[in-house]
Amino acid sequence: MDDGDARLRLVILVGAAREGRFGLAAAEWLATRARLRSDFEVDVIDLATAWLPDLMTADPALPRPSAVRDLSPWLAAADAFAVVTQEHRSGYPAALKNAIDWYDSEWHAKPVGFVCYGGPSGGLWAVAQLRQVFAESHAVTVPETVSFDNYQERWGSEGQFHDTEDCRRAALAMLDRLDWWARALRRARAREPYTYSYPARAEE
């Protein structure tokens, strides 16, 4: 089996850090569906427990904080990302932007899909903004998106949420597209490493 046929590591990133988050349930729902496939190994990373610092330094000579260094290998090892995001006031959570900004090469030349939720818009305003942010991070976003509109109405009596056939089909389409891009970009990185010059950091 060559590297192009090896299993892909999918990191599902829970972007909202509020208590009682629908996002954590949505992430586990997607993880369950991804683990039924033979092409993905799945990690779920909850930013609420990553404890990334809120304040960043503009001095690249300073080393990154320990929490940032601890999360870096998990992101660097990923072949693809699925970002779970809430929409709040037509935007995405501050904790998610903070996490994106702490890292550089970890995102480079890797595909990103989205699971979003909100009111009538289903979180799609947040995703539209995140596509621009990830483009600046040198990642590739896929068009297939899982969107849960009016998500408060989807909670079950024991905290589960009720999906629909449309959501299940959207998840399948997104995972298929992430698989294609992850394999293509992994082969491309193996042939020629992706490079972009950021200011050098201090030794970590």
PDB file of all heavy atoms in Angstrom, residues 81-83 112-116 124 127 131 141-147 169-181:
ATOM      1  N   PHE A  81      -9.319  18.594   8.027  1.00  0.00           N
ATOM      2  CA  PHE A  81     -10.010  19.156   9.181  1.00  0.00           C
ATOM      3  C   PHE A  81     -11.503  19.288   8.875  1.00  0.00           C
ATOM      4  O   PHE A  81     -11.886  19.619   7.747  1.00  0.00           O
ATOM      5  CB  PHE A  81      -9.473  20.545   9.515  1.00  0.00           C
ATOM      6  CG  PHE A  81      -8.028  20.570   9.914  1.00  0.00           C
ATOM      7  CD1 PHE A  81      -7.051  20.898   8.980  1.00  0.00           C
ATOM      8  CD2 PHE A  81      -7.640  20.270  11.206  1.00  0.00           C
ATOM      9  CE1 PHE A  81      -5.717  20.928   9.333  1.00  0.00           C
ATOM     10  CE2 PHE A  81      -6.298  20.299  11.570  1.00  0.00           C
ATOM     11  CZ  PHE A  81      -5.330  20.621  10.629  1.00  0.00           C
ATOM     12  N   ALA A  82     -12.307  19.047   9.900  1.00  0.00           N
ATOM     13  CA  ALA A  82     -13.722  19.404   9.859  1.00  0.00           C
ATOM     14  C   ALA A  82     -13.958  20.343  11.035  1.00  0.00           C
ATOM     15  O   ALA A  82     -13.777  19.955  12.194  1.00  0.00           O
ATOM     16  CB  ALA A  82     -14.616  18.179   9.965  1.00  0.00           C
ATOM     17  N   VAL A  83     -14.311  21.580  10.745  1.00  0.00           N
ATOM     18  CA  VAL A  83     -14.468  22.607  11.767  1.00  0.00           C
ATOM     19  C   VAL A  83     -15.949  22.743  12.100  1.00  0.00           C
ATOM     20  O   VAL A  83     -16.781  22.978  11.213  1.00  0.00           O
ATOM     21  CB  VAL A  83     -13.899  23.957  11.281  1.00  0.00           C
ATOM     22  CG1 VAL A  83     -14.206  25.061  12.282  1.00  0.00           C
ATOM     23  CG2 VAL A  83     -12.394  23.830  11.050  1.00  0.00           C
ATOM     24  N   VAL A 112     -10.273  21.678   4.455  1.00  0.00           N
ATOM     25  CA  VAL A 112     -11.103  22.007   5.615  1.00  0.00           C
ATOM     26  C   VAL A 112     -12.568  21.956   5.187  1.00  0.00           C
ATOM     27  O   VAL A 112     -12.965  22.592   4.201  1.00  0.00           O
ATOM     28  CB  VAL A 112     -10.780  23.421   6.158  1.00  0.00           C
ATOM     29  CG1 VAL A 112     -11.654  23.738   7.371  1.00  0.00           C
ATOM     30  CG2 VAL A 112      -9.308  23.544   6.506  1.00  0.00           C
ATOM     31  N   GLY A 113     -13.360  21.193   5.927  1.00  0.00           N
ATOM     32  CA  GLY A 113     -14.807  21.191   5.754  1.00  0.00           C
ATOM     33  C   GLY A 113     -15.471  21.807   6.973  1.00  0.00           C
ATOM     34  O   GLY A 113     -14.825  22.015   8.009  1.00  0.00           O
ATOM     35  N   PHE A 114     -16.766  22.100   6.860  1.00  0.00           N
ATOM     36  CA  PHE A 114     -17.455  22.799   7.942  1.00  0.00           C
ATOM     37  C   PHE A 114     -18.762  22.106   8.310  1.00  0.00           C
ATOM     38  O   PHE A 114     -19.527  21.691   7.437  1.00  0.00           O
ATOM     39  CB  PHE A 114     -17.761  24.241   7.539  1.00  0.00           C
ATOM     40  CG  PHE A 114     -16.537  25.063   7.256  1.00  0.00           C
ATOM     41  CD1 PHE A 114     -16.130  25.287   5.950  1.00  0.00           C
ATOM     42  CD2 PHE A 114     -15.787  25.597   8.296  1.00  0.00           C
ATOM     43  CE1 PHE A 114     -14.995  26.036   5.681  1.00  0.00           C
ATOM     44  CE2 PHE A 114     -14.651  26.346   8.027  1.00  0.00           C
ATOM     45  CZ  PHE A 114     -14.254  26.564   6.725  1.00  0.00           C
ATOM     46  N   VAL A 115     -18.995  22.034   9.616  1.00  0.00           N
ATOM     47  CA  VAL A 115     -20.302  21.716  10.184  1.00  0.00           C
ATOM     48  C   VAL A 115     -20.719  22.956  10.952  1.00  0.00           C
ATOM     49  O   VAL A 115     -20.008  23.393  11.867  1.00  0.00           O
ATOM     50  CB  VAL A 115     -20.239  20.499  11.122  1.00  0.00           C
ATOM     51  CG1 VAL A 115     -21.605  20.246  11.759  1.00  0.00           C
ATOM     52  CG2 VAL A 115     -19.761  19.261  10.376  1.00  0.00           C
ATOM     53  N   CYS A 116     -21.832  23.559  10.576  1.00  0.00           N
ATOM     54  CA  CYS A 116     -22.204  24.836  11.169  1.00  0.00           C
ATOM     55  C   CYS A 116     -23.642  24.778  11.678  1.00  0.00           C
ATOM     56  O   CYS A 116     -24.453  23.965  11.230  1.00  0.00           O
ATOM     57  CB  CYS A 116     -22.029  25.972  10.163  1.00  0.00           C
ATOM     58  SG  CYS A 116     -22.963  25.782   8.628  1.00  0.00           S
ATOM     59  N   LEU A 124     -24.358  29.541   8.150  1.00  0.00           N
ATOM     60  CA  LEU A 124     -23.640  29.713   6.890  1.00  0.00           C
ATOM     61  C   LEU A 124     -22.934  31.063   6.781  1.00  0.00           C
ATOM     62  O   LEU A 124     -21.948  31.188   6.044  1.00  0.00           O
ATOM     63  CB  LEU A 124     -24.605  29.517   5.718  1.00  0.00           C
ATOM     64  CG  LEU A 124     -25.146  28.082   5.576  1.00  0.00           C
ATOM     65  CD1 LEU A 124     -26.206  28.017   4.487  1.00  0.00           C
ATOM     66  CD2 LEU A 124     -24.010  27.105   5.282  1.00  0.00           C
ATOM     67  N   VAL A 127     -19.546  30.431   8.216  1.00  0.00           N
ATOM     68  CA  VAL A 127     -18.711  29.657   7.300  1.00  0.00           C
ATOM     69  C   VAL A 127     -18.172  30.541   6.175  1.00  0.00           C
ATOM     70  O   VAL A 127     -17.005  30.415   5.768  1.00  0.00           O
ATOM     71  CB  VAL A 127     -19.496  28.460   6.738  1.00  0.00           C
ATOM     72  CG1 VAL A 127     -18.753  27.799   5.579  1.00  0.00           C
ATOM     73  CG2 VAL A 127     -19.757  27.445   7.840  1.00  0.00           C
ATOM     74  N   ARG A 131     -14.143  30.817   5.403  1.00  0.00           N
ATOM     75  CA  ARG A 131     -13.488  30.450   4.142  1.00  0.00           C
ATOM     76  C   ARG A 131     -12.384  31.457   3.797  1.00  0.00           C
ATOM     77  O   ARG A 131     -11.312  31.088   3.316  1.00  0.00           O
ATOM     78  CB  ARG A 131     -14.514  30.382   3.017  1.00  0.00           C
ATOM     79  CG  ARG A 131     -15.496  29.229   3.155  1.00  0.00           C
ATOM     80  CD  ARG A 131     -16.351  29.061   1.911  1.00  0.00           C
ATOM     81  NE  ARG A 131     -17.402  28.078   2.129  1.00  0.00           N
ATOM     82  CZ  ARG A 131     -17.226  26.756   2.104  1.00  0.00           C
ATOM     83  NH1 ARG A 131     -16.015  26.268   1.857  1.00  0.00           N
ATOM     84  NH2 ARG A 131     -18.221  25.935   2.318  1.00  0.00           N
ATOM     85  N   THR A 141     -10.600  25.063   1.484  1.00  0.00           N
ATOM     86  CA  THR A 141     -11.924  24.724   2.004  1.00  0.00           C
ATOM     87  C   THR A 141     -12.749  24.035   0.920  1.00  0.00           C
ATOM     88  O   THR A 141     -12.647  24.371  -0.262  1.00  0.00           O
ATOM     89  CB  THR A 141     -12.670  25.967   2.508  1.00  0.00           C
ATOM     90  OG1 THR A 141     -12.877  26.880   1.429  1.00  0.00           O
ATOM     91  CG2 THR A 141     -11.873  26.656   3.618  1.00  0.00           C
ATOM     92  N   VAL A 142     -13.536  23.051   1.332  1.00  0.00           N
ATOM     93  CA  VAL A 142     -14.376  22.324   0.381  1.00  0.00           C
ATOM     94  C   VAL A 142     -15.770  22.944   0.386  1.00  0.00           C
ATOM     95  O   VAL A 142     -16.226  23.464   1.409  1.00  0.00           O
ATOM     96  CB  VAL A 142     -14.442  20.819   0.725  1.00  0.00           C
ATOM     97  CG1 VAL A 142     -13.036  20.215   0.736  1.00  0.00           C
ATOM     98  CG2 VAL A 142     -15.139  20.570   2.052  1.00  0.00           C
ATOM     99  N   PRO A 143     -16.479  22.894  -0.739  1.00  0.00           N
ATOM    100  CA  PRO A 143     -17.781  23.555  -0.803  1.00  0.00           C
ATOM    101  C   PRO A 143     -18.877  22.811  -0.049  1.00  0.00           C
ATOM    102  O   PRO A 143     -19.846  23.428   0.407  1.00  0.00           O
ATOM    103  CB  PRO A 143     -18.085  23.604  -2.307  1.00  0.00           C
ATOM    104  CG  PRO A 143     -17.272  22.504  -2.897  1.00  0.00           C
ATOM    105  CD  PRO A 143     -16.031  22.412  -2.053  1.00  0.00           C
ATOM    106  N   GLU A 144     -18.753  21.496   0.078  1.00  0.00           N
ATOM    107  CA  GLU A 144     -19.794  20.718   0.763  1.00  0.00           C
ATOM    108  C   GLU A 144     -19.794  21.050   2.256  1.00  0.00           C
ATOM    109  O   GLU A 144     -18.749  20.996   2.917  1.00  0.00           O
ATOM    110  CB  GLU A 144     -19.567  19.223   0.558  1.00  0.00           C
ATOM    111  CG  GLU A 144     -19.798  18.758  -0.867  1.00  0.00           C
ATOM    112  CD  GLU A 144     -18.632  19.021  -1.809  1.00  0.00           C
ATOM    113  OE1 GLU A 144     -17.584  19.542  -1.336  1.00  0.00           O
ATOM    114  OE2 GLU A 144     -18.746  18.717  -3.000  1.00  0.00           O
ATOM    115  N   THR A 145     -20.942  21.398   2.793  1.00  0.00           N
ATOM    116  CA  THR A 145     -21.070  21.850   4.177  1.00  0.00           C
ATOM    117  C   THR A 145     -22.287  21.199   4.814  1.00  0.00           C
ATOM    118  O   THR A 145     -23.313  21.008   4.170  1.00  0.00           O
ATOM    119  CB  THR A 145     -21.227  23.382   4.225  1.00  0.00           C
ATOM    120  OG1 THR A 145     -20.081  23.997   3.622  1.00  0.00           O
ATOM    121  CG2 THR A 145     -21.366  23.886   5.651  1.00  0.00           C
ATOM    122  N   VAL A 146     -22.152  20.856   6.100  1.00  0.00           N
ATOM    123  CA  VAL A 146     -23.291  20.372   6.888  1.00  0.00           C
ATOM    124  C   VAL A 146     -23.813  21.548   7.703  1.00  0.00           C
ATOM    125  O   VAL A 146     -23.063  22.148   8.479  1.00  0.00           O
ATOM    126  CB  VAL A 146     -22.891  19.221   7.821  1.00  0.00           C
ATOM    127  CG1 VAL A 146     -24.121  18.698   8.566  1.00  0.00           C
ATOM    128  CG2 VAL A 146     -22.226  18.090   7.036  1.00  0.00           C
ATOM    129  N   SER A 147     -25.086  21.870   7.532  1.00  0.00           N
ATOM    130  CA  SER A 147     -25.668  23.043   8.189  1.00  0.00           C
ATOM    131  C   SER A 147     -26.908  22.642   8.974  1.00  0.00           C
ATOM    132  O   SER A 147     -27.814  21.999   8.428  1.00  0.00           O
ATOM    133  CB  SER A 147     -26.031  24.101   7.141  1.00  0.00           C
ATOM    134  OG  SER A 147     -26.745  25.171   7.726  1.00  0.00           O
ATOM    135  N   ARG A 169     -26.806  13.042   4.259  1.00  0.00           N
ATOM    136  CA  ARG A 169     -26.268  13.074   2.895  1.00  0.00           C
ATOM    137  C   ARG A 169     -25.193  14.147   2.765  1.00  0.00           C
ATOM    138  O   ARG A 169     -24.176  13.947   2.094  1.00  0.00           O
ATOM    139  CB  ARG A 169     -27.390  13.327   1.883  1.00  0.00           C
ATOM    140  CG  ARG A 169     -28.284  12.118   1.632  1.00  0.00           C
ATOM    141  CD  ARG A 169     -29.066  12.298   0.334  1.00  0.00           C
ATOM    142  NE  ARG A 169     -29.926  13.465   0.372  1.00  0.00           N
ATOM    143  CZ  ARG A 169     -31.208  13.445   0.751  1.00  0.00           C
ATOM    144  NH1 ARG A 169     -31.771  12.297   1.122  1.00  0.00           N
ATOM    145  NH2 ARG A 169     -31.930  14.542   0.748  1.00  0.00           N
ATOM    146  N   ALA A 170     -25.409  15.302   3.423  1.00  0.00           N
ATOM    147  CA  ALA A 170     -24.418  16.372   3.367  1.00  0.00           C
ATOM    148  C   ALA A 170     -23.114  15.940   4.026  1.00  0.00           C
ATOM    149  O   ALA A 170     -22.017  16.254   3.536  1.00  0.00           O
ATOM    150  CB  ALA A 170     -24.964  17.632   4.037  1.00  0.00           C
ATOM    151  N   ALA A 171     -23.217  15.220   5.140  1.00  0.00           N
ATOM    152  CA  ALA A 171     -22.009  14.737   5.813  1.00  0.00           C
ATOM    153  C   ALA A 171     -21.256  13.757   4.928  1.00  0.00           C
ATOM    154  O   ALA A 171     -20.018  13.803   4.842  1.00  0.00           O
ATOM    155  CB  ALA A 171     -22.382  14.079   7.138  1.00  0.00           C
ATOM    156  N   LEU A 172     -21.972  12.867   4.268  1.00  0.00           N
ATOM    157  CA  LEU A 172     -21.324  11.915   3.366  1.00  0.00           C
ATOM    158  C   LEU A 172     -20.602  12.643   2.236  1.00  0.00           C
ATOM    159  O   LEU A 172     -19.450  12.324   1.906  1.00  0.00           O
ATOM    160  CB  LEU A 172     -22.361  10.950   2.791  1.00  0.00           C
ATOM    161  CG  LEU A 172     -21.864   9.967   1.726  1.00  0.00           C
ATOM    162  CD1 LEU A 172     -20.787   9.055   2.294  1.00  0.00           C
ATOM    163  CD2 LEU A 172     -23.032   9.147   1.169  1.00  0.00           C
ATOM    164  N   ALA A 173     -21.258  13.635   1.651  1.00  0.00           N
ATOM    165  CA  ALA A 173     -20.652  14.387   0.554  1.00  0.00           C
ATOM    166  C   ALA A 173     -19.412  15.143   1.025  1.00  0.00           C
ATOM    167  O   ALA A 173     -18.387  15.180   0.333  1.00  0.00           O
ATOM    168  CB  ALA A 173     -21.668  15.353  -0.047  1.00  0.00           C
ATOM    169  N   MET A 174     -19.488  15.740   2.220  1.00  0.00           N
ATOM    170  CA  MET A 174     -18.345  16.476   2.733  1.00  0.00           C
ATOM    171  C   MET A 174     -17.172  15.543   3.018  1.00  0.00           C
ATOM    172  O   MET A 174     -16.024  15.846   2.682  1.00  0.00           O
ATOM    173  CB  MET A 174     -18.722  17.237   3.996  1.00  0.00           C
ATOM    174  CG  MET A 174     -17.591  18.114   4.541  1.00  0.00           C
ATOM    175  SD  MET A 174     -18.009  18.923   6.101  1.00  0.00           S
ATOM    176  CE  MET A 174     -17.995  17.501   7.205  1.00  0.00           C
ATOM    177  N   LEU A 175     -17.434  14.400   3.640  1.00  0.00           N
ATOM    178  CA  LEU A 175     -16.363  13.455   3.943  1.00  0.00           C
ATOM    179  C   LEU A 175     -15.741  12.899   2.668  1.00  0.00           C
ATOM    180  O   LEU A 175     -14.516  12.722   2.585  1.00  0.00           O
ATOM    181  CB  LEU A 175     -16.893  12.329   4.826  1.00  0.00           C
ATOM    182  CG  LEU A 175     -17.288  12.748   6.254  1.00  0.00           C
ATOM    183  CD1 LEU A 175     -18.014  11.604   6.960  1.00  0.00           C
ATOM    184  CD2 LEU A 175     -16.055  13.176   7.057  1.00  0.00           C
ATOM    185  N   ASP A 176     -16.555  12.639   1.662  1.00  0.00           N
ATOM    186  CA  ASP A 176     -16.017  12.178   0.378  1.00  0.00           C
ATOM    187  C   ASP A 176     -15.085  13.228  -0.226  1.00  0.00           C
ATOM    188  O   ASP A 176     -14.016  12.908  -0.754  1.00  0.00           O
ATOM    189  CB  ASP A 176     -17.149  11.873  -0.602  1.00  0.00           C
ATOM    190  CG  ASP A 176     -17.852  10.560  -0.312  1.00  0.00           C
ATOM    191  OD1 ASP A 176     -17.317   9.750   0.474  1.00  0.00           O
ATOM    192  OD2 ASP A 176     -18.948  10.346  -0.879  1.00  0.00           O
ATOM    193  N   ARG A 177     -15.497  14.491  -0.165  1.00  0.00           N
ATOM    194  CA  ARG A 177     -14.682  15.553  -0.747  1.00  0.00           C
ATOM    195  C   ARG A 177     -13.410  15.758   0.056  1.00  0.00           C
ATOM    196  O   ARG A 177     -12.328  15.981  -0.512  1.00  0.00           O
ATOM    197  CB  ARG A 177     -15.476  16.857  -0.814  1.00  0.00           C
ATOM    198  CG  ARG A 177     -14.789  17.926  -1.640  1.00  0.00           C
ATOM    199  CD  ARG A 177     -14.775  17.580  -3.117  1.00  0.00           C
ATOM    200  NE  ARG A 177     -16.123  17.621  -3.670  1.00  0.00           N
ATOM    201  CZ  ARG A 177     -16.456  17.135  -4.846  1.00  0.00           C
ATOM    202  NH1 ARG A 177     -15.552  16.554  -5.608  1.00  0.00           N
ATOM    203  NH2 ARG A 177     -17.705  17.197  -5.276  1.00  0.00           N
ATOM    204  N   LEU A 178     -13.500  15.686   1.386  1.00  0.00           N
ATOM    205  CA  LEU A 178     -12.296  15.795   2.207  1.00  0.00           C
ATOM    206  C   LEU A 178     -11.322  14.665   1.900  1.00  0.00           C
ATOM    207  O   LEU A 178     -10.103  14.876   1.858  1.00  0.00           O
ATOM    208  CB  LEU A 178     -12.670  15.779   3.694  1.00  0.00           C
ATOM    209  CG  LEU A 178     -13.288  17.055   4.254  1.00  0.00           C
ATOM    210  CD1 LEU A 178     -13.744  16.822   5.693  1.00  0.00           C
ATOM    211  CD2 LEU A 178     -12.302  18.226   4.202  1.00  0.00           C
ATOM    212  N   ASP A 179     -11.852  13.469   1.680  1.00  0.00           N
ATOM    213  CA  ASP A 179     -11.006  12.332   1.327  1.00  0.00           C
ATOM    214  C   ASP A 179     -10.233  12.624   0.041  1.00  0.00           C
ATOM    215  O   ASP A 179      -9.013  12.431  -0.039  1.00  0.00           O
ATOM    216  CB  ASP A 179     -11.873  11.083   1.158  1.00  0.00           C
ATOM    217  CG  ASP A 179     -11.081   9.876   0.690  1.00  0.00           C
ATOM    218  OD1 ASP A 179     -10.695   9.827  -0.496  1.00  0.00           O
ATOM    219  OD2 ASP A 179     -10.859   8.961   1.496  1.00  0.00           O
ATOM    220  N   TRP A 180     -10.931  13.120  -0.984  1.00  0.00           N
ATOM    221  CA  TRP A 180     -10.275  13.371  -2.278  1.00  0.00           C
ATOM    222  C   TRP A 180      -9.166  14.404  -2.130  1.00  0.00           C
ATOM    223  O   TRP A 180      -8.033  14.207  -2.568  1.00  0.00           O
ATOM    224  CB  TRP A 180     -11.301  13.845  -3.301  1.00  0.00           C
ATOM    225  CG  TRP A 180     -10.755  13.889  -4.697  1.00  0.00           C
ATOM    226  CD1 TRP A 180     -10.856  12.927  -5.643  1.00  0.00           C
ATOM    227  CD2 TRP A 180     -10.000  14.968  -5.296  1.00  0.00           C
ATOM    228  NE1 TRP A 180     -10.207  13.328  -6.801  1.00  0.00           N
ATOM    229  CE2 TRP A 180      -9.681  14.561  -6.610  1.00  0.00           C
ATOM    230  CE3 TRP A 180      -9.567  16.212  -4.851  1.00  0.00           C
ATOM    231  CZ2 TRP A 180      -8.946  15.369  -7.486  1.00  0.00           C
ATOM    232  CZ3 TRP A 180      -8.827  17.021  -5.712  1.00  0.00           C
ATOM    233  CH2 TRP A 180      -8.528  16.595  -7.018  1.00  0.00           C
ATOM    234  N   TRP A 181      -9.502  15.535  -1.496  1.00  0.00           N
ATOM    235  CA  TRP A 181      -8.520  16.608  -1.368  1.00  0.00           C
ATOM    236  C   TRP A 181      -7.377  16.202  -0.444  1.00  0.00           C
ATOM    237  O   TRP A 181      -6.213  16.557  -0.697  1.00  0.00           O
ATOM    238  CB  TRP A 181      -9.185  17.879  -0.850  1.00  0.00           C
ATOM    239  CG  TRP A 181      -9.779  18.716  -1.935  1.00  0.00           C
ATOM    240  CD1 TRP A 181     -11.108  18.873  -2.230  1.00  0.00           C
ATOM    241  CD2 TRP A 181      -9.068  19.514  -2.886  1.00  0.00           C
ATOM    242  NE1 TRP A 181     -11.267  19.703  -3.298  1.00  0.00           N
ATOM    243  CE2 TRP A 181     -10.036  20.119  -3.732  1.00  0.00           C
ATOM    244  CE3 TRP A 181      -7.728  19.770  -3.111  1.00  0.00           C
ATOM    245  CZ2 TRP A 181      -9.686  20.966  -4.766  1.00  0.00           C
ATOM    246  CZ3 TRP A 181      -7.363  20.620  -4.149  1.00  0.00           C
ATOM    247  CH2 TRP A 181      -8.341  21.209  -4.964  1.00  0.00           C
TER     248      TRP A 181
END
